[in-house]
Amino acid sequence: MKTFKKVYIEITSVCNLACSFCPQTSRKASFIKLDTFNTILDQIKPHTNHIYLHVKGEPLLHPKLDELLDASYAKGFKVNMTTNGTLIRKAGPKLLGKPALRQMNFSLHSFDGHEGSTNRELYLADIFRFVREVSEQGVLVSFRLWNLQRDEATSEETRRNRETLELLEREFALDYRIEEKVLPGSGVKLAERIYLNQEHEFEWPSLQAPEDEGKGFCHALRTQAAVLVDGTVVPCCLDGEGVINLGNVNDTPFSEIVESERANNLFYGFSRREAVEELCRKCGYRKRFGTGA
């Protein structure tokens, strides 16, 4: 039986932002129902103890987020959540004191990625207020700035990032500039249980992207799998449109889906360092893993 470090469960396909780095989904706007969520938890339980409540969509939009966390705890899961953070003032109380919650990831690059953002200081102040409280409850916090450019950044991009970094430095009373400590792809500890990670901006895979020779390695169906809000199982968190549709948990048990012929072809293909799926051959993220296992 395949086991995973994590399984992504998309609890909504809806997002409140329209960020330049994140293609809008063409799928139906939907929120997972509690009974459906519980059914999925039961199906994935033999395969993992860790779930991530996103693929596309903003998880803090879910009106019953607190109940989803309670259900996760009742079935023995640890929960990681990634959010743009804009709704944390309203949704934060649903998260505090929830024993299932293991880690919160805040995509701070969402502020500059969304054209309508207006007040960086207020945006971060709301997040900082929540982080102070949730970190005291033992929850890990990761701030993400995944917007570094591979070519020389413009002065405007550098200025915007510096504004965010200055606010972080002030909040956590740092006696150094973060740029002095962090290299792309790495992180720095800001305080107990609180970290900042910076990374280059990546492109979501698309069938419209150019295809390469397909060599390389990926952890899809090796350390992770994902279930979209409609029950579609995909091999990784980057297949946000369900292109590699392995099956649907509403029709077929998750255990059977991840051992299906198509799933095993993908899995053993990467064992040979070959991407057998078209979308995988058009995914730049695969190149981050090189050819090693």
Side-chain angles (χ1 to χ4, degrees), residues 58 60 83-89 106-107 110 123 126-127:
E58 169 51 54
L60 298 192
T83 173
N84 59 46
T86 55
L87 304 173
I88 198 63
R89 177 181 285 192
F106 289 93
S107 298
S110 301
Y123 164 69
D126 286 341
I127 292 174

Side-chain angles (χ1 to χ4, degrees), residues 8-12 52-59 80-83 105 144 226-227 237:
Y8 293 82
I9 303 176
E10 183 186 64
I11 61 174
T12 181
Y52 286 57
L53 299 187
H54 71 281
V55 176
K56 285 290 188 74
E58 169 51 54
N80 287 33
M81 198 177 310
T82 298
T83 173
N105 304 314
R144 294 175 172 180
V227 184
C237 64

Side-chain angles (χ1 to χ4, degrees), residues 105-123:
N105 304 314
F106 289 93
S107 298
L108 301 187
H109 46 281
S110 301
F111 183 87
D112 290 316
H114 178 67
E115 191 174 331
S117 301
T118 56
N119 191 326
R120 187 189 311 271
E121 194 156 353
L122 180 60
Y123 164 69

Side-chain angles (χ1 to χ4, degrees), residues 117-177:
S117 301
T118 56
N119 191 326
R120 187 189 311 271
E121 194 156 353
L122 180 60
Y123 164 69
L124 287 170
D126 286 341
I127 292 174
F128 292 158
R129 191 177 302 110
F130 171 80
V131 164
R132 289 184 214 117
E133 199 163 353
V134 79
S135 63
E136 288 179 359
Q137 298 177 359
V139 176
L140 297 170
V141 174
S142 174
F143 294 119
R144 294 175 172 180
L145 269 179
W146 288 5
N147 61 356
L148 301 179
Q149 304 300 309
R150 297 190 181 277
D151 300 323
E152 191 67 29
T154 66
S155 57
E156 180 61 18
E157 288 167 341
T158 302
R159 182 192 66 77
R160 292 197 303 250
N161 264 4
R162 178 93 286 274
E163 287 182 7
T164 295
L165 295 177
E166 282 177 359
L167 291 166
L168 284 163
E169 290 160 4
R170 187 172 72 192
E171 171 66 19
F172 296 101
L174 304 183
D175 59 0
Y176 57 85
R177 286 168 65 98

Side-chain angles (χ1 to χ4, degrees), residues 231-242:
T232 299
V233 176
V234 292
C236 76
C237 64
L238 293 183
D239 187 0
E241 294 304 294

